[in-house]
Amino acid sequence: MSNLQFHQFRGTEGYVASRALQDVVNVAIALERPLLLKGEPGTGKTLLAHHIAEALDMEIILWNVKSTTKARDGLYTYDTVQRLNDARFGDGDVKDIRHYIKYGPLGRAFASGKRVVLLIDEVDKADIEFPNDLLFELDEMRFHVLETDEWVKADQRPVVIVTSNSEKELPDAFLRRCVFHYIDFPDEAQMRAIIEVHFPDLGVELMGKACKIFFGLREVPGLRKRPSTSELLDWIRVLLASGAKLPEGDVPSLESVPFLGALVKMQEDTETLSRHANRPADVRTAGRRFFS
């Protein structure tokens, strides 16, 4: 591995990355393999790609995958409708098919002429064959344009970041080609560091109360969607903008938490919290006690 070039990604001022995450990013860049990121929603998988691009001073190209996305969409499309219209109305040079070839995100990353960050976001939303259909292109960093019989090849391999929320199992052949990392949810110490990045003047008392309530909510059993980091930051932003005060004491009641809807986004979870709050104290306790 002596010939590998390690970029020293160490996070940015706006992204607090654990040492394990820093290391795996640098390994993926050095090996020139896609970095597959998993983790519960709100752990910063998508945001990480933006900050890798910032730290390495690279352009980022986004490919937001949907249930209808096909691998070919990322390569190029041939605009036959525009060519037909041009042929009918005499606009444009219809003989040059290249004018009607439009690159997708993967195609633009290959054709950019410089190294870029390519984010393939939520790859598991697409059909199960979608990752397999990209194996050749991600291995060879080139693809064939059938209409012009030309090959588009990357001069420099892009830094490929792939995110997944584990909605579907990914094929083994695709996994073998990736460097994998599961982003653990931040513990309280790391969460405080993240909050300080976004709210450097936040008081110690508010920081402590907000973290206690937030982590207490996450520990309540039965929640379908536990509050995420982004929701905690939104909640703190609302608290600061409104001037609302968090309840005093070690064991706040559910009703005393202001703007709970910024943290809890599902009616089912609101009902779960209400049921949990009305249970006996020995049943309510889950890790740290939250409800009175």
Side-chain angles (χ1 to χ4, degrees):
M1 294 182 65
S2 59
N3 62 333
L4 295 181
Q5 296 182 359
F6 275 82
H7 291 261
Q8 293 301 309
F9 173 75
R10 291 291 177 253
T12 66
E13 290 184 1
Y15 193 98
V16 178
S18 67
R19 181 57 187 270
L21 182 54
Q22 295 172 25
D23 288 345
V24 77
V25 168
N26 288 315
V27 167
I29 294 173
L31 293 176
E32 297 185 326
R33 289 187 175 274
L35 172 58
L36 174 61
L37 297 171
K38 289 190 177 185
E40 68 175 87
T43 49
K45 301 185 295 296
T46 299
L47 192 61
L48 175 61
H50 291 268
H51 285 273
I52 291 174
E54 177 187 334
L56 303 182
D57 193 25
M58 295 181 186
E59 177 190 355
I60 184 167
I61 296 176
L62 309 180
W63 189 0
N64 296 308
V65 177
K66 302 178 181 178
S67 59
T68 57
T69 300
K70 303 298 181 184
R72 183 183 174 91
D73 299 337
L75 302 178
Y76 73 94
T77 57
Y78 172 39
D79 195 343
T80 55
V81 174
Q82 184 62 53
R83 190 180 184 213
L84 177 61
N85 287 337
D86 289 350
R88 290 177 61 190
F89 300 110
D91 296 329
D93 182 6
V94 296
K95 294 181 180 179
D96 191 349
I97 296 178
R98 287 174 294 184
H99 291 166
Y100 304 96
I101 300 296
K102 298 181 179 179
Y103 292 143
L106 196 58
R108 295 199 306 274
F110 288 3
S112 67
K114 58 183 179 181
R115 199 172 195 192
V116 301
V117 174
L118 172 65
L119 170 61
I120 305 177
D121 203 19
E122 298 187 324
V123 67
D124 51 327
K125 279 190 174 181
D127 183 85
I128 188 62
E129 290 304 318
F130 174 79
N132 278 337
D133 291 342
L134 291 174
L135 294 182
F136 174 82
E137 287 76 15
L138 291 179
D139 274 345
E140 299 292 328
M141 289 294 162
R142 63 190 177 110
F143 65 91
H144 184 239
V145 180
L146 182 64
E147 289 77 8
T148 62
D149 194 27
E150 295 176 341
W151 285 88
V152 177
K153 181 177 176 58
D155 292 333
Q156 297 191 57
R157 296 178 72 93
V159 177
V160 181
I161 309 297
V162 184
T163 72
S164 168
N165 287 325
S166 301
E167 292 182 11
K168 296 187 185 79
E169 289 296 323
L170 298 175
D172 289 347
F174 182 78
L175 294 176
R176 284 198 300 272
R177 289 163 169 81
C178 296
V179 176
F180 172 76
H181 185 74
Y182 185 92
I183 300 182
D184 292 317
F185 197 84
D187 59 21
E188 186 164 335
Q190 188 177 359
M191 186 62 77
R192 285 173 178 260
I194 293 172
I195 293 172
E196 287 177 357
V197 166
H198 293 271
F199 305 100
D201 298 324
L202 191 67
V204 175
E205 182 179 3
L206 180 55
M207 169 90 76
K209 288 182 179 180
C211 286
K212 174 179 170 51
I213 292 173
F214 174 75
F215 282 101
L217 283 171
R218 284 183 54 85
E219 291 173 359
V220 173
L223 293 184
R224 285 192 58 191
K225 183 188 181 309
R226 295 187 292 177
S228 69
T229 304
S230 61
E231 287 157 343
L232 171 60
L233 298 176
D234 285 344
W235 183 52
I236 293 175
R237 188 172 292 110
V238 170
L239 291 174
L240 292 174
S242 67
K245 302 296 184 183
L246 293 181
E248 299 291 339
D250 293 334
V251 191
S253 65
L254 181 64
E255 294 77 13
S256 67
V257 179
F259 307 113
L260 189 62
L263 292 171
V264 182
K265 302 295 182 66
M266 301 183 69
Q267 178 63 27
E268 298 167 71
D269 288 342
T270 301
E271 294 170 356
T272 297
L273 291 171
S274 297
R275 288 195 302 271
H276 195 78
N278 293 325
R279 293 176 180 175
D282 58 337
V283 177
R284 289 198 310 266
T285 301
R288 73 181 71 193
R289 184 175 296 171
F290 175 65
F291 297 110
S292 63

